[in-house]
């Protein structure tokens, strides 16, 4: 986030580079930087003749270079933005000749999502010399809650710990998806509000009591009654609680629990670091480890794989997702 702020700050100060190569597994910041350049480098009246958006699936490197070598019309710069540049992965290194001698009146923005650029090759090295190279790394689940808090704090909001965990548990680590949901909350709630699970339930539709986070916790505690209630709720609201998401999250939980059993040092700090989880969850693993020894955890992971196949129609005998979850709960407990 600090690197993104620095890029934006430099552009605001007029320190504009001839090329911005944005790459990495997390598309959120790639989109934010390219959108900022698209809206702020040129005045609105200058964009008609001097701003162009190309798509990697429709053009080749020669087309990009040809457009980048044009001169602006009645403006200090022309802006060329290449979206979905990952489609050019086989030929992207050919851009190196242009990068070595870029047009100073062109701002070329390359959005190379979901892929890495080989740092050993010339393109990476030349972009670093001539412009800005930015890698947008995927955040681990234990990092997303902190990111979420920082984003809200910058807008004048706070969020309770449980509410942050609830959002991450439901939405995963997709920052764009989380950002969209945060926008809904900011539209509905006044500034200085602390966002709670109740707000999330009201404005986003994620139940604060019946969700995968609570199911995982209930199973870890061997709380059969609570787990059964949540599964019954899922059965009544299947669209909001996809079977495959529940299976995936439970598989992740028990895989991490297996890793927990293999650790020699069970101190909270070491567990959080080794499992790459939020320290808030360490207590859940400590409780679950008492309830499920290593051999049992291995069996549960096998059951989860079996249910995953059945959920995809392999040997399920037309069983519904709710029936499969009930069967799974019996096998786990």
């Amino acid at each position: 986030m600090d690197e993104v702020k620095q890029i934006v700050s430099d552009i605001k100060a007029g320190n504009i580079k001839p090329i911005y190569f944005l790459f990495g597994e997390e598309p959120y910041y790639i989109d934010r930087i390219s959108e900022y350049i698209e809206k702020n480098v040129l005045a609105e009246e200058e964009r008609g003749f001097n701003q162009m958006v190309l798509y990697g699936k429709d053009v080749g490197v020669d087309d990009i270079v040809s457009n980048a070598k044009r001169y602006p019309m009645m403006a200090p710069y022309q802006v060329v933005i290449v979206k979905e540049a990952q489609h050019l992965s086989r030929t992207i290194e050919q851009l190196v000749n242009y990068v070595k001698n870029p047009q100073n009146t062109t701002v070329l923005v390359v959005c190379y999502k979901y892929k890495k650029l080989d740092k050993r090759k010339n393109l990476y090295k030349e972009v670093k010399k001539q412009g800005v190279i930015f890698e947008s790394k995927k955040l681990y689940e234990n990092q997303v809650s902190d990111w979420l808090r920082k984003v809200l704090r910058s807008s004048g909001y706070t969020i309770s710990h449980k509410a942050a965990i609830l959002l991450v548990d439901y939405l995963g680590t997709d920052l764009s998806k989380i950002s969209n949901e945060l926008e809904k909350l900011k539209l509905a709630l006044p500034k200085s509000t602390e966002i709670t699970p109740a707000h999330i339930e009201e404005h986003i539709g994620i139940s604060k009591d019946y969700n995968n986070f609570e199911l995982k916790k209930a199973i870890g505690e061997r709380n059969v009654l609570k787990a059964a209630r949540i599964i019954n709720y899922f059965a009544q609201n299947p669209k909001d609680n996809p079977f495959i998401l529940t299976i995936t999250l439970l598989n992740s939980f028990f895989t991490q629990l297996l890793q927990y059993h293999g650790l020699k040092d069970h101190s909270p700090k070491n567990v959080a670091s080794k499992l790459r989880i939020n320290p808030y969850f360490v207590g859940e693993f400590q409780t679950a480890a008492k309830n499920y020894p290593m051999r049992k955890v291995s069996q549960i992971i096998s059951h989860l794989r079996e249910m995953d196949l059945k959920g995809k129609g392999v040997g399920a005998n037309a069983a519904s997702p709710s029936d499969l979850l009930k069967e799974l709960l019996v096998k786990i407990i």
Side-chain angles (χ1 to χ4, degrees):
M1 191 180 281
D2 291 340
E3 194 176 349
V4 175
K5 286 180 179 177
Q6 186 60 54
I7 291 171
V8 170
S9 178
D10 287 344
I11 293 171
K12 281 182 180 177
N15 182 17
I16 299 172
K17 301 295 184 180
I19 182 164
Y20 292 81
F21 200 106
L22 318 173
F23 74 98
E25 296 175 348
E26 175 52 67
Y28 177 79
Y29 283 120
I30 294 174
D31 289 337
R32 297 291 82 77
I33 295 170
S34 64
E35 283 171 10
Y36 183 83
I37 292 172
E38 191 172 349
K39 292 177 181 177
N40 292 278
V41 169
L42 296 176
E44 189 174 350
E45 64 274 11
E46 296 171 336
R47 294 174 200 156
F49 290 109
N50 297 292
Q51 189 153 285
M52 180 175 294
V53 177
L54 306 173
Y55 290 87
K57 61 183 178 180
D58 300 324
V59 300
V61 172
D62 288 344
D63 300 311
I64 296 170
V65 171
S66 176
N67 282 285
K69 285 186 173 179
R70 290 171 50 233
Y71 287 95
M73 293 180 63
M74 296 177 288
Y77 298 101
Q78 70 147 345
V79 176
V80 179
I81 299 173
V82 187
K83 297 187 177 182
E84 300 176 9
Q86 65 271 15
H87 290 285
L88 297 167
S89 59
R90 293 182 179 180
T91 57
I92 196 68
E93 282 293 325
Q94 295 173 12
L95 193 60
V96 69
N97 290 329
Y98 173 79
V99 174
K100 285 179 178 178
N101 187 27
Q103 191 89 344
N104 288 328
T105 52
T106 293
V107 180
L108 176 62
V109 184
V110 182
C111 303
Y112 196 74
K113 295 180 181 178
Y114 313 114
K115 287 185 176 288
K116 291 189 175 183
L117 194 62
D118 193 333
K119 296 178 182 180
R120 299 167 299 179
K121 292 190 176 180
N122 288 335
L123 180 59
Y124 180 91
K125 295 173 183 177
E126 290 299 329
V127 172
K128 205 164 184 182
K129 288 180 191 174
Q130 301 289 352
V132 171
I133 194 151
F134 171 76
E135 182 176 1
S136 188
K137 295 179 180 179
K138 197 84 173 172
L139 296 183
Y140 293 115
E141 191 171 321
N142 62 319
Q143 298 172 310
V144 177
S145 292
D146 290 337
W147 173 87
L148 195 154
R149 285 192 190 86
K150 287 178 183 176
V151 169
L152 285 171
R153 197 183 304 125
S154 67
S155 303
Y157 295 83
T158 57
I159 187 168
S160 73
H161 195 81
K162 188 171 182 182
I165 296 298
L166 182 60
L167 272 177
V168 175
D169 185 69
Y170 187 79
L171 299 171
T173 57
D174 186 328
L175 301 188
S176 297
K177 193 184 291 185
I178 294 172
S179 180
N180 289 338
E181 298 303 329
L182 292 182
E183 289 304 316
K184 292 180 188 177
L185 290 168
K186 287 191 279 187
L187 286 171
L189 302 170
K191 284 193 175 184
S192 301
T193 299
E194 181 183 55
I195 296 167
T196 65
H199 290 133
I200 292 170
E201 182 170 24
E202 181 182 355
H203 299 292
I204 297 179
I206 306 170
S207 171
K208 67 181 189 298
D209 299 313
Y210 300 99
N211 54 69
N212 283 308
F213 168 65
E214 293 296 336
L215 176 62
K216 183 175 63 175
K217 187 176 179 183
I219 289 175
E221 295 170 349
R222 294 183 74 89
N223 188 334
V224 182
L225 184 59
K226 183 178 178 181
R229 283 176 180 164
I230 295 171
I231 286 173
N232 285 331
Y233 177 85
F234 285 5
Q236 295 165 16
N237 302 273
K239 288 185 178 179
D240 295 329
N241 303 279
F243 174 79
I244 189 66
L245 178 60
T246 300
I247 291 294
T248 300
L249 290 172
L250 287 177
N251 185 68
S252 176
F253 174 69
F254 280 103
T255 300
Q256 288 175 315
L257 185 56
L258 194 64
Q259 292 175 302
Y260 176 92
H261 277 299
L263 295 175
K264 292 181 179 179
D265 179 2
H266 287 125
S267 64
K269 185 177 180 180
N270 186 61
V271 171
S273 173
K274 295 296 183 182
L275 300 189
R276 288 176 174 169
I277 59 171
N278 191 298
Y280 179 84
F281 287 117
V282 172
E284 286 187 22
F285 282 94
Q286 290 171 336
T287 300
K290 294 174 184 175
N291 290 325
Y292 302 97
M294 183 178 281
R295 181 174 293 181
K296 178 63 176 174
V297 174
S298 297
Q299 291 172 352
I300 290 170
I301 291 172
S302 178
H303 294 321
L304 284 161
R305 288 174 181 164
E306 178 190 349
M307 290 301 142
D308 180 47
L309 288 172
K310 285 185 176 181
K312 294 169 181 172
V314 180
N317 296 321
S320 68
S322 60
D323 287 337
L324 292 176
L325 281 177
K326 289 172 186 175
E327 181 185 344
L328 176 63
L329 181 59
V330 170
K331 289 182 175 181
I332 288 175
I333 301 295

